[in-house]
Amino acid sequence: MNPTVKRSAHAVSHTAGRLTVGGRLLPCFLIVGAQRCGTTSLYRALAQHPLVLKPVLRKGVHYFDIAYEKGLSWYRAHFPLKTTAYRLERRYGTRPLAFESSPYYLFHPLSPYRMARDLPGAKMIVLVRDPVERAYSAHAHELARGFETEPSFERAVELEPARLEGEIERLCAEPYARSTAHRHHAYVTRGQYAEQLARLESVVGRRRILVIDSGRFFTTPEPVYDQVLEFLGLPRLGDPVFERHNARPRPTTMPDSLRKSLSDHFLPWDHKLRDWLGDTPTWRR
């Protein structure tokens, strides 16, 4: 769809949503991250399930990170009508679940607390992948979208500490502030998954969090998909089509010295993922 047409369609749809907000659902689960870890692929697989209701037009609403000042009614307006859910429940005998996918939620310092307050009981799904590859992929992604101006991944990694200095403190001190550096330039820091999972766990509890190794999902998607359905309490209905989405070409090859340096940096963080995954991450085997 043409971007201008898509924006206009979304504006009309959201206006209609605001007028019927009292009759709309709130999500029962969220895909909260991590960025460049297969969140779009899982979102599209789940959206094929007849009892999983996606938001209108937009995969990620980004309410709990960059739009929280708009209020809960604004957020609710993005989701399907309760009457739709009632019809599906009568047909299948199981309550449908609304959801969305915004991979910045896991990394934003305030999102976990906002989600815990506004969506009590909602479940959280987190995908993780080799953090070295994630960082490299994120740089190519941000470069292609125009949020990164440094073409060298190695130089961008060197710049990261200075770019992020004081940004978490500012986001916490100014709750409605945005940070381009924190959202788009945290190549290494966003791969420290265990740190972010610990924060999420502290406010929603471990039982409401499912962590998926993206290496398993892309290699053997069927059992991972079934694991997600079990976590959500949904029956298996049909066979989804599994596809990879949003892959970016790499402009250059990462130097071996940089790859080793980053791998060494992530080793203690990756070790902590064993408790979440129940096994060694695929990229460490």
Side-chain angles (χ1 to χ4, degrees):
M1 183 184 292
N2 178 283
T4 301
V5 173
K6 187 173 182 178
R7 284 194 297 269
S8 298
H10 185 270
V12 171
S13 177
H14 189 258
T15 298
R18 293 296 294 269
L19 294 174
T20 57
V21 69
R24 292 189 175 271
L25 301 166
L26 278 174
C28 296
F29 74 95
L30 303 168
I31 300 175
V32 299
Q35 181 208 39
R36 308 304 296 164
C37 289
T39 57
T40 298
S41 298
L42 180 61
Y43 169 88
R44 293 192 178 179
L46 287 171
Q48 297 172 53
H49 194 290
L51 290 173
V52 173
L53 303 177
K54 63 183 181 179
V56 178
L57 290 180
R58 184 179 294 174
K59 160 182 166 280
V61 182
H62 285 287
Y63 171 61
F64 295 105
D65 46 27
I66 62 172
Y68 199 62
E69 74 280 3
K70 295 180 183 294
L72 196 60
S73 292
W74 177 89
Y75 184 55
R76 189 190 290 268
H78 286 80
F79 295 95
L81 291 165
K82 293 177 182 178
T83 53
T84 300
Y86 294 152
R87 286 196 301 270
L88 289 170
E89 185 172 7
R90 287 197 301 270
R91 178 177 178 182
Y92 292 100
T94 301
R95 182 170 67 99
L97 306 180
F99 85 121
E100 62 134 328
S101 174
S102 297
Y104 187 34
Y105 286 166
L106 181 67
F107 190 58
H108 192 283
L110 297 181
S111 287
Y113 307 98
R114 293 167 173 174
M115 293 185 295
R117 179 171 57 242
D118 292 346
L119 299 177
K123 295 181 177 182
M124 314 288 169
I125 298 174
V126 178
L127 292 96
V128 295
R129 69 182 285 199
D130 180 346
V132 179
E133 288 299 319
R134 193 222 72 83
Y136 199 33
S137 173
H139 178 260
H141 183 64
E142 303 297 356
L143 198 62
R145 296 199 301 161
F147 291 109
E148 177 59 86
T149 57
E150 174 51 64
S152 166
F153 173 61
E154 187 167 11
R155 178 59 179 154
V157 168
E158 292 173 356
L159 290 172
E160 183 173 329
R163 284 171 155 181
L164 297 188
E165 185 176 3
E167 290 302 278
I168 292 177
E169 293 78 7
R170 184 173 70 85
L171 288 171
C172 291
E174 306 171 30
Y176 300 146
R178 298 188 184 190
S179 170
T180 297
H182 187 266
R183 186 178 180 188
H184 299 289
H185 301 151
Y187 305 115
V188 176
T189 314
R190 285 182 84 150
Q192 296 167 183
Y193 308 122
E195 181 178 45
Q196 299 154 54
L197 286 167
R199 178 175 57 208
L200 184 62
E201 180 189 15
S202 72
V203 291
V204 305
R206 182 167 291 222
R207 289 191 303 174
R208 287 167 52 194
I209 304 170
L210 176 65
V211 182
I212 296 170
D213 186 323
S214 293
R216 284 187 60 232
F217 177 54
F218 286 126
T219 304
T220 56
E222 291 281 351
V224 175
Y225 177 77
D226 288 339
Q227 180 187 12
V228 173
L229 293 185
E230 182 179 3
F231 173 68
L232 297 174
L234 290 173
R236 178 71 180 259
L237 298 173
D239 297 310
V241 176
F242 299 105
E243 297 177 330
R244 294 191 70 157
H245 296 275
N246 294 342
R248 291 280 186 187
R250 311 297 172 81
T252 58
T253 301
M254 189 190 312
D256 290 341
S257 58
L258 177 58
R259 183 180 294 279
K260 184 180 186 309
S261 174
L262 289 174
S263 181
D264 290 346
H265 169 84
F266 287 123
L267 181 60
W269 297 107
D270 291 348
H271 182 72
K272 293 179 180 180
L273 288 178
R274 284 186 58 95
D275 291 340
W276 289 97
L277 297 171
D279 199 354
T280 302
T282 53
W283 60 90
R284 288 292 179 181
R285 296 176 191 171

